[in-house]
C-alpha cells in the first residue's frame, strides 16, 4: 500500500490524478505519483521565446520573491512542508530528529543577502541584470550578458536543502526548471513549488517551475524529454549509474552539468597530540565530520589519515584517540546525528570478522549498529573502506604525507585538514591529485552555496553566456579592405 501521494506541479498548476505506484528506497517507503508519461508534452516550454519574461525580471524582484518564500516555509505553519516531512519519514534514510532539523533549516537558505552573495560571487549581478561592456586590445567592444536556459534538474535526495538550492540557483540564473524529484525525497521540491505558487501565483518564477517524479532510467519518457528542442542543460546530482545513464542523451545543444558522487578524506597532523585538551578538541571535530547527518553526504569523513607515525607508542596513542572520537560522536545532539535507521549488512559482517583478530585493526563501538571507529594498527585502511557508512570511520596512522596523497583521486571531493598550517601546506598539492575542496577539520558538512562545487562553477555554467560586439572600422582592422 502506498504511504503517500506525490502530485505533479507544472508551471503553477497542481495535478493530483493518474496515479502510478512506485517502490521506495526504504522498506515500506512505496508511494503513488502522478503519471508523468501523460504530461510529458507539458513539462518543457512549448517555445523558447516564453522564457523572455524571466529575463525581464530584475534581480531585486527575484530576491523579493525568494525572501518571501523563505518566510513562508515555517515547519509548524506550512502544510506542504509537513507533508514533505511525513513522506520523508518513510522515504528518507534519516531518523525523525535529523529529518525534521533539515526542514527547520529550510528558511535560512532563502536569506536575502546569502542569495545575493551567491549571485555576485559565482556570476556577477551586473551580468544577470544586463549587458556588461569591455574594450578589447584589438579595438572592438564586447557586451556580455548571462541568460537563463531551459534546464532539467535531477537533485540528490540527501536532505531537503538540495531542492532549495536547486530552486534558488534556477531563480538566480532566470532559467526554466523541470525538477525530477528523487525517490528518497519525493515531496520537498513539490512543497517549495506549491508555496511559491501560493505567494506569487502569476510570477515568472512560478510559471517557469515544474516538478515531477518518474523512475530514473525510464527510457520511454526520457527519450521523449531529453532533447535539445526541450532542454538545454541537465544538472545532475546522483550515483555513478544514473549519471552515466544520462550521458547517452548528451548531444550538441544539450549539456550535462554533473555533480556526480564523490568520496572524501581527512588528514590530521601531529599537532593534534600536543596535549590532552587538544586531542579532545580535534576528536570532537573529527566526530562531527564523520557523523553529521549520519554520514550520508559526499563530504562526510570516512578514512582519516593521522600523521602520528607507526611505532608502538604512536599506535597506542591513536587507539586512545579513536576512543575519544567514538565518545564525541555518541554525545552529539540527535538533531545532528543518531543511530542509523538501517545498517549495511555486508559492512556489519566485515566488521565482525575484523573483531576476531585485533592484530591489524581494532574497533571501538559498533556492537549495536550505532556507529564505530576502526583503528588500523599499521599504515593501511581496511580493505572494505569503500563500504564505510552508518557512522563508521577508519583511522589510519601514517609516517609521511605521501601515503595520503596516494589515496587522493579524482573522486575525492572534500578533504578536512587539521591544523590550518597543514592545509596551507597542502592546498597547492592535493588538487593535482584530484581533491576538490579543502576545509578546516570539523567543517566538512558545513557547506556554503556561495562557493564552487565539485571543482566546477555549476551556477555559472547554468547560464548561457552571450556576447554582442561592436567593431568600428577605424579601430578594428576591416577585412574587406585587405
Amino acid at each position: 500500500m502506498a504511504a503517500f501521494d506525490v502530485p505533479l506541479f507544472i508551471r503553477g498548476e497542481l495535478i493530483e490524478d493518474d496515479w502510478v505506484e512506485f517502490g521506495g528506497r526504504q522498506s515500506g517507503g512505496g508511494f503513488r505519483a502522478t503519471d508523468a508519461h501523460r504530461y510529458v508534452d507539458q513539462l518543457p516550454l512549448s517555445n523558447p521565446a516564453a522564457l523572455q519574461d524571466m529575463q525581464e525580471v530584475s534581480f531585486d524582484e527575484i530576491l523579493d520573491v525568494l525572501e518571501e518564500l523563505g518566510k513562508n516555509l515555517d515547519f509548524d505553519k506550512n502544510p506542504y512542508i509537513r507533508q514533505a516531512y511525513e513522506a520523508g519519514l518513510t522515504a528518507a534514510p534519516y531518523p525523525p530528529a535529523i529529518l525534521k532539523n533539515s526542514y527547520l533549516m529550510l528558511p535560512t537558505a532563502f536569506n536575502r543577502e546569502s542569495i545575493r552573495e551567491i549571485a555576485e560571487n559565482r556570476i556577477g549581478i551586473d551580468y544577470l541584470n544586463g549587458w556588461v561592456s569591455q574594450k578589447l586590445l584589438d579595438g572592438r567592444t564586447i557586451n556580455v550578458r548571462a541568460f537563463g536556459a531551459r534546464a532539467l534538474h535531477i537533485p540528490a535526495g540527501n536532505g531537503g536543502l538540495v531542492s532549495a538550492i536547486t530552486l534558488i540557483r534556477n531563480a538566480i540564473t532566470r532559467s526554466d526548471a523541470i525538477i525530477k524529484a528523487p525517490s528518497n525525497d519525493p515531496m520537498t521540491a513539490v512543497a517549495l513549488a506549491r508555496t511559491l505558487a501560493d505567494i506569487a501565483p502569476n510570477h515568472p518564477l512560478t510559471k517557469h517551475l515544474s516538478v515531477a517524479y518518474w523512475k530514473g532510467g525510464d527510457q520511454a519518457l526520457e527519450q521523449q524529454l531529453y532533447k535539445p528542442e526541450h532542454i538545454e542543460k541537465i544538472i545532475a546530482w546522483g550515483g555513478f549509474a544514473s549519471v552515466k545513464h544520462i550521458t547517452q542523451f548528451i548531444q550538441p545543444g544539450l549539456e550535462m552539468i554533473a555533480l556526480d558522487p564523490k568520496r572524501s578524506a581527512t588528514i590530521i597532523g601531529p599537532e593534534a597530540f600536543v596535549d590532552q585538551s587538544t586531542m579532545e578538541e580535534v576528536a570532537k571535530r573529527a566526530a562531527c565530520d564523520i557523523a553529521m547527518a549520519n554520514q550520508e553526504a559526499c563530504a562526510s569523513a570516512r578514512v582519516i589519515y593521522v600523521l602520528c607515525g607507526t611505532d608502538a607508542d604512536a599506535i597506542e596513542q591513536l587507539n586512545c584517540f579513536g576512543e575519544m572520537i567514538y565518545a564525541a560522536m555518541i554525545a552529539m545532539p540527535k538533531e545532528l546525528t543518531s543511530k542509523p535507521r538501517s545498517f549495511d549488512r555486508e559492512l556489519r559482517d566485515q566488521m565482525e570478522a575484523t573483531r576476531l583478530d585485533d592484530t591489524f585493526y581494532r574497533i571501538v563501538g559498533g556492537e549495536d549498529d550505532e556507529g564505530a571507529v576502526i583503528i588500523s594498527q599499521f599504515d593501511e585502511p581496511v580493505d572494505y573502506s569503500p563500504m564505510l557508512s552508518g557512522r563508521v570511520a577508519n583511522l589510519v596512522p601514517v609516517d609521511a604525507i605521501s601515503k595520503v596523497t596516494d589515496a587522493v583521486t579524482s573522486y575525492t571531493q572534500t578533504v578536512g585538514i587539521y591544523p590550518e598550517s597543514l592545509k596551507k601546506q597542502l592546498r597547492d598539492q592535493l588538487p593535482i591529485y584530484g581533491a576538490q575542496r579543502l576545509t578546516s577539520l570539523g567543517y566538512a558538512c558545513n557547506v556554503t552555496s556561495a562557493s564552487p562545487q565539485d571543482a566546477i562553477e555549476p551556477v555559472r555554467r547554468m547560464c548561457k553566456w552571450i556576447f554582442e560586439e561592436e567593431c568600428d572600422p577605424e579601430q578594428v582592422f576591416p577585412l574587406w579592405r585587405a
Side-chain angles (χ1 to χ4, degrees), residues 337-349:
T337 184
S338 60
K339 179 181 176 180
R341 288 181 59 184
S342 60
F343 196 88
D344 186 283
R345 182 178 299 177
E346 186 177 354
L347 174 59
R348 183 192 302 121
D349 291 343

Side-chain angles (χ1 to χ4, degrees), residues 234-253:
I234 297 179
I235 299 89
W237 309 52
F240 180 83
S242 61
V243 171
K244 187 174 181 180
H245 166 75
I246 296 168
T247 61
Q248 67 182 295
F249 301 103
I250 303 307
Q251 57 183 294

Side-chain angles (χ1 to χ4, degrees), residues 50 82 197 319 343 365 405:
R82 291 299 294 268
N319 290 333
F343 196 88
T405 55

Side-chain angles (χ1 to χ4, degrees), residues 113-123 165 169 172 447-453 457 459:
E113 293 310 311
S114 295
I115 296 173
R116 184 186 297 277
E117 181 182 49
I118 296 169
E120 186 61 66
N121 287 1
R122 304 278 58 89
I123 301 174
I165 291 169
R169 287 176 171 176
I172 286 174
V447 298
T448 173
S449 297
S451 64
Q453 180 179 346
E457 294 268 17
V459 187

Side-chain angles (χ1 to χ4, degrees), residues 4 22-31 87-94 154-159 180-186 213-216 237-240 242 296 341-342:
F4 53 89
F22 295 93
R25 299 190 196 182
Q26 304 295 318
S27 176
F31 57 89
L89 291 175
T90 57
Y94 301 109
I154 306 176
N158 54 343
K180 179 196 176 302
S183 61
N184 54 347
D185 181 25
Y213 177 80
W214 65 88
K215 186 174 177 60
W237 309 52
F240 180 83
S242 61
E296 291 284 341
R341 288 181 59 184
S342 60

